[in-house]
Amino acid sequence: MTHPTNSSFDLSDWKSVIATVGKEKLLERDVTLIRAAVLIGMQNAVLRQNYTSELFTGFTSEQIAILAIAHANRGFLLIREKAHTAVKEAAEAAALEGRPLDTGALSQITIQAAEGISAATADDINATMIDTLPHWFALAAKPPAGVRPPGENLGGVAQRAGAILSLEHCFRDVWQQVLWEPWIIANISEVDYAMVSTAPDWQIGWRAWDLRQQTLHVQGAMLNRQFERIFPNAQPAPALPLTVTGIDLTTSPPVLTIAPPLESQAISHRMALDGLDDCYTRPFAEQEVGEPSVTSRLLSRAVLVLQDLISLMLPRDYDPEDPDWSAMERLACALPRVTVVEALARSLSLDPAIAGACVTLLTSDTANGLGEMFRIGVWHRPLIAMPGGTRVLIVAGALLWGSPVRRAERWLQSKNGDDMSKTPNGLLYEAHVRARIRDTLSRNDVIAPQDRAVSHLPQGRGKEEIDLLVRIGGLVLVGEIKCLLGPSEPSEYYNYLRKLEKACEQARRKAAWLEGEQALAQQLLGGTSPLKMLPLVIVNQSNGVGLVFDGCQVTDAHFLRIVLSGGEYNSGAKFKAEASIQFYTVTLYSSVGEAEAILPNVFADHLGVRRYRDAAEWNTFRIPLAGDNGELMIFYPVVDEMKYRATWPLAADNDGASAAEESREDD
């Protein structure tokens, strides 16, 4: 049946199917889908009939693109200002109370983007604005002919369009969530609806995994910056020798100043690249991604240059009273494509052809690939091609706040798909994990060499192929390694968990088989007594860690290394100014026997996720409905900063000596 987000949706088609099947045969989930389809189909019909059909009458496709990016960039600047104010207030409150500021939950502070709009986290608001852009581009493909009203305010037009299209995007999200995730929609009054999860752990899990991944991405970089403050004479070389430090927009084309980075730029560069060096994508960083000589590492460096460029371009006055097209283009960061190519070529010492290839791979074409943009957005391609291809617009929220890891994942996905386990990169990652686990275990001072071993069973040596085998005493971890890209859409969430479920089935099967092949197991791993097998699925990032499918735990390579490194887990770090860093540790085991005892459960009770899960609260997002002045209330999880703070490792040690605290996993 046609989805209710499709312009050709016809409710009568759904009614005829219901009549054919019979209401009495409908399951509860069928009823939920039907109720959602009716609600969303009617709301979209009202939007299209009364608003979007004539929204851009008289504008050209180029003008609509300028309005779209100007609106998104204005929103980003507004949100960034409010987020910075909220963080400053949180820091001041922490100082008054004599406690550290816990960075692990700062991103969960909610702000109100505008009066009458539900409060949400800055990241969530920014993501909604960026992910609404394809709705603008879809309407820009064939704008209706006509004449615009004289003297209209372009800023007002953009804000009105943004409000309308954000509703359309919200309804698309609601439908995708109901279709793929465990939600129900119910009437709570004659005109009001509520959307509630039937499996709260599902939603809380995705929030906790995302926050834990954010923490892992920045923790090493933050500690590196602290070490630089402690040892100011041991400053590292700049990550980029040159970058854009100035731009004269009064000339045509604009004139760039390329010079050694300013101190603030150099710190931002090191933060970003340190995070990528700690990420699972590092083994693939030198692989070409779409164009000869263009690698993921090169594109990451190109993004740093573009971040410096857009930071110089964004206007200070992001909310002019009556902007003309020149002001809107400035807000949309419109530039000649050749200027962007020049910025990369001169900053990174690239051949202009290679710099041009980088720009191509970082550019979204609104005339083509709209389906992909609706699915994964413009986060990894934050440049927007203008008709004719001679100019580009730059999406600030995607470029400056987008995840460097997610960008790298999407570049890899364009070449390898979303399951790298099925590509040569999967084998490369398996070898990388084995090498790091072998190195980690070799430095474990708690478990003696005779009580530990690392191996694997390659294809052809037995009935099964086993990615990783780790013996601790008489217990063997039978590891199934999966290299999967992190999901971002409801359908991807669903498919991701199905892949984990299947991987657990494989791990259980292989563990059961190897337990019956004791001679082979002891040949691979040593040991004298009968070995007991424990299935384990090991993924490359945080999504899914702590899940258990029919007795098989899911963890990630990072936490596995922590568990095998020596029996201690660094649960937090406290630092202030130039003071030495203070780490807080949890003892996992102090003997091989204790290690054997915890392994069957330690990955399910994932310490890196537990604090986020325990601090989860349910927030409400309200979507206004047309027709009867009702609303749709959506309940979604956020991590409550106060509850999170109450569980930090230094809760009983608040002497006011420290101004910051970082949730830390250290191997």
Side-chain angles (χ1 to χ4, degrees), residues 495-544:
N495 291 330
Y496 184 90
L497 292 189
R498 299 292 75 78
K499 290 175 182 177
L500 293 187
E501 194 171 20
K502 184 178 179 181
C504 285
E505 180 184 337
Q506 293 175 310
R508 288 195 306 272
R509 186 191 70 234
K510 295 175 181 181
W513 172 79
L514 188 60
E515 190 141 10
E517 299 288 339
Q518 287 290 322
L520 176 60
Q522 292 179 23
Q523 178 186 345
L524 292 168
L525 297 160
T528 55
S529 59
L531 300 175
K532 181 180 178 181
M533 307 301 161
L534 183 68
L536 182 67
V537 167
I538 303 143
V539 293
N540 50 304
Q541 26 83 17
S542 295
N543 292 299

Side-chain angles (χ1 to χ4, degrees), residues 55-56 59 67 71 136 148-149 152-164 328:
L55 188 60
F56 295 125
F59 284 128
L67 290 174
H71 174 71
W136 293 74
R148 301 300 303 180
E152 70 177 345
N153 187 299
L154 294 176
V157 171
Q159 290 183 44
R160 180 172 180 268
I164 293 168
M328 296 302 280

Side-chain angles (χ1 to χ4, degrees), residues 261-343:
L262 307 174
E263 183 179 1
S264 59
Q265 292 175 322
I267 292 173
S268 295
H269 298 166
R270 293 200 297 274
M271 287 291 292
L273 295 184
D274 283 357
L276 286 170
D277 281 344
D278 288 340
C279 176
Y280 81 91
T281 58
R282 182 178 181 179
F284 318 127
E286 297 300 337
Q287 293 183 0
E288 293 180 347
V289 285
E291 296 285 345
S293 302
V294 179
T295 65
S296 175
R297 188 183 301 279
L298 176 58
L299 287 178
S300 294
R301 292 163 61 85
V303 164
L304 298 181
V305 174
L306 296 181
Q307 288 173 339
D308 293 337
L309 174 61
I310 194 175
S311 295
L312 294 165
M313 288 193 63
L314 286 168
R316 293 182 180 274
D317 182 9
Y318 58 79
D319 202 11
E321 187 172 317
D322 188 13
D324 57 14
W325 281 111
S326 176
M328 296 302 280
E329 287 195 17
R330 173 70 187 278
L331 194 50
C333 296
L335 276 177
R337 186 180 186 277
V338 293
T339 301
V340 181
V341 172
E342 178 193 352

